[in-house]
């Protein structure tokens, strides 16, 4: 609430106790004439007030926040949380059931692929159409036209109806139009879900430019890396309500942590129900600190896996991918120096493989392990996400006044040296 109060006086967007209700199972009645309507009302005057048995759901409930000019606000939450409904209300696509929204500026929105495009019109015609919808003069659109086309990379298809565009071409043009036609407020919903990595990088760079020019961005995404790199403040929406409104680092960390539950040991004693297939089945997965206590950033630990090999005379190996709570891969490992079974065929039976991880490597936070069982060092015959999920604790004593989150996926304990130099006088 402290953040909200500091923004109220200068807010470009102000949302006050906004709720949105949808009716489930409500059947839309066919249109009728005035005579038919009056006749039904005369025969059954109270029927209109009876419940039709449909249920209601609140997509948003008492949402309140404010956004300052030039701010990039991230909005995160699981599918169905109400994020897209909020942007549709801000875009005036749908009206709130209750509450108040104040917007001071022209809005450009990119809510889904092809929003605002007419499929029969060409790319060129749709650029001018979208500009006109935003209230821009033709001369303003023409001034930005070449930049839009270059950014979207559709020069060869500019005079082709957009119904023939691929989803990637649609999104490139839609984002280029929304970002270049200079709205004071830009609403972006999952633009990074479509397109290759180079396009996603261009989008992030362009949104940064838009914000640095003093315009405001509301950015909805499931890409937590993009949210943290672009936004300083984030709203977390859960079941239609704001669960958190704070710095990007704090909100994203808590959001990702909420979806991970520690599973430091998992055991499947019955081979018939154990995860796997006709080639291999997993019996046990665990993570253990070498000292038997919690895992800290300085603690060596090992990842152990027990598995039944069901095919005799095959070459097996395990591959582990370790991810941090931001969803970024920290490292991957395979048993390159495995001495006992490296290069040898496995008979049928129960095996245990252990990976030893040194202390002074991982950063603090939640980590999860993707397990891959590989045959002949080439074919993945089984994989299991979140085979184990564990937390690394920060055990260091901080010096000075800084107590924030240590940046980076790893936190290696490296040796430093400082010496005093004496400069010779000439």
């Amino acid at each position: 609430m402290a953040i909200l109060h500091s923004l109220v006086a200068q807010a470009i967007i102000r949302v006050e106790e906004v709720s949105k209700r949808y009716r489930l199972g409500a059947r839309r009645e066919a249109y009728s004439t005035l005579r038919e309507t009056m006749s039904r009302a005369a025969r059954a005057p109270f029927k209109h007030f009876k419940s039709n048995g449909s249920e209601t759901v609140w997509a948003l409930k008492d949402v309140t926040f404010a956004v300052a000019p030039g701010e990039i606000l991230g909005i995160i939450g699981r599918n169905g949380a109400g994020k897209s409904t909020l942007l549709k209300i801000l875009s005036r696509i749908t009206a709130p059931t209750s509450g108040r929204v104040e917007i001071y500026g022209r809005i450009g929105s990119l809510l889904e692929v092809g929003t605002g495009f007419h499929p029969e019109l060409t790319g060129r015609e749709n650029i001018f159409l979208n500009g006109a919808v935003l209230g821009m003069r033709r001369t303003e659109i023409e001034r930005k036209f070449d930049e839009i086309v270059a950014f979207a990379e559709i020069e060869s298809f500019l005079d082709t109806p957009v119904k023939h565009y691929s989803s990637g071409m649609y999104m490139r043009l839609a984002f280029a139009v929304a970002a270049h036609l200079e709205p004071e407020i830009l609403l972006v919903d999952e633009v990074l879900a479509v397109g290759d990595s180079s396009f996603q990088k261009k989008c992030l760079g362009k949104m940064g430019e838009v914000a640095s020019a003093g315009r405001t961005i509301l950015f909805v995404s499931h890409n937590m890396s993009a949210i943290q790199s672009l936004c300083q403040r984030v709203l977390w929406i859960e079941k239609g309500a704001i669960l958190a409104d704070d710095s990007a680092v704090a909100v994203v960390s808590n959001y990702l942590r909420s979806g991970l539950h520690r599973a430091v040991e998992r055991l499947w004693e019955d081979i018939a129900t154990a995860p796997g297939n006709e080639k291999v089945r997993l019996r046990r997965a665990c993570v253990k600190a070498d000292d038997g206590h919690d895992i800290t950033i300085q603690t060596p630990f090992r990842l152990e896996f027990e598995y039944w090999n069901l095919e005799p005379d095959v070459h097996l190996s395990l591959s582990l991918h370790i991810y941090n709570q931001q969803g970024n891969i920290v490292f991957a490992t395979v048993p390159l120096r495995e001495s006992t079974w490296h290069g040898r065929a496995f008979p049928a039976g129960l095996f245990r493989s252990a990976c030893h991880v040194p202390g002074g490597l991982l950063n603090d936070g939640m980590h999860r392990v993707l397990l891959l069982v590989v045959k002949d060092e080439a074919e993945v015959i089984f994989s299991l996400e979140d085979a184990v999920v564990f937390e690394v604790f920060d055990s260091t004593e901080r010096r000075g006044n800084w107590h924030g989150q240590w940046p980076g996926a790893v936190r290696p304990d490296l040796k430093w040296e400082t010496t005093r130099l004496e400069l010779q006088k000439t």
Side-chain angles (χ1 to χ4, degrees), residues 399-410:
R399 293 177 294 179
N401 296 321
W402 185 75
H403 299 279
Q405 172 71 33
W406 199 280
V410 294

Side-chain angles (χ1 to χ4, degrees), residues 106-300:
R106 188 167 56 194
I107 289 182
S109 59
L110 183 57
L111 303 187
E112 58 187 48
V113 176
T115 298
F117 282 179
H118 193 295
E120 299 295 336
L121 299 181
T122 66
R124 183 190 305 275
E125 292 166 339
N126 270 292
I127 292 174
F128 283 93
L129 173 63
N130 275 260
V133 170
L134 285 173
M136 300 183 67
R137 296 193 179 101
R138 186 177 181 86
T139 54
E140 294 180 90
I141 303 171
E142 290 174 343
R143 180 165 49 86
K144 290 286 183 178
F145 185 83
D146 291 340
E147 292 181 44
I148 293 172
V149 175
F151 186 94
E153 302 173 2
I154 59 161
E155 292 91 340
S156 301
F157 305 92
L158 190 58
D159 294 308
T160 300
V162 297
K163 67 181 180 181
H164 299 302
Y165 285 15
S166 67
S167 60
M169 294 168 63
Y170 241 125
M171 182 55 71
R172 290 203 303 271
L173 180 59
F175 183 86
V177 169
H180 286 81
L181 291 184
E182 298 185 346
E184 286 83 8
I185 302 166
L186 181 61
L187 309 180
V188 182
D189 189 356
E190 277 300 345
V191 64
L192 300 182
V194 179
D196 54 29
S197 58
S198 61
F199 167 70
Q200 294 175 8
K201 187 176 180 179
K202 282 175 63 175
C203 287
L204 288 173
K206 185 61 182 178
M207 283 194 283
E209 291 179 19
V210 169
S212 64
R215 283 176 277 168
T216 303
I217 299 176
L218 271 65
F219 180 37
V220 170
S221 181
H222 291 287
N223 186 328
M224 295 300 109
S225 297
I227 286 284
Q228 290 191 100
S229 65
L230 196 64
C231 310
Q232 292 184 330
R233 176 184 164 215
V234 171
L235 296 182
W236 175 5
I237 297 180
E238 188 73 24
K239 296 180 180 179
I242 294 179
L243 194 61
D245 180 357
D246 207 337
S247 68
V249 171
V251 175
V252 169
S253 177
N254 290 332
Y255 172 73
L256 293 172
R257 187 185 297 268
S258 71
L260 291 176
H261 303 284
R262 285 203 294 174
V264 296
E265 183 171 16
R266 304 173 69 185
L267 179 64
W268 301 270
E269 293 183 327
D270 185 0
I271 190 172
T273 58
N277 49 42
E278 70 281 359
K279 299 178 180 179
V280 64
R281 287 193 180 272
L282 187 63
R283 180 180 182 273
R284 181 170 169 268
C286 75
V287 54
K288 288 184 176 180
D290 286 2
D291 61 7
H293 297 95
D294 287 334
I295 299 174
T296 72
I297 59 173
Q298 297 296 337
T299 305

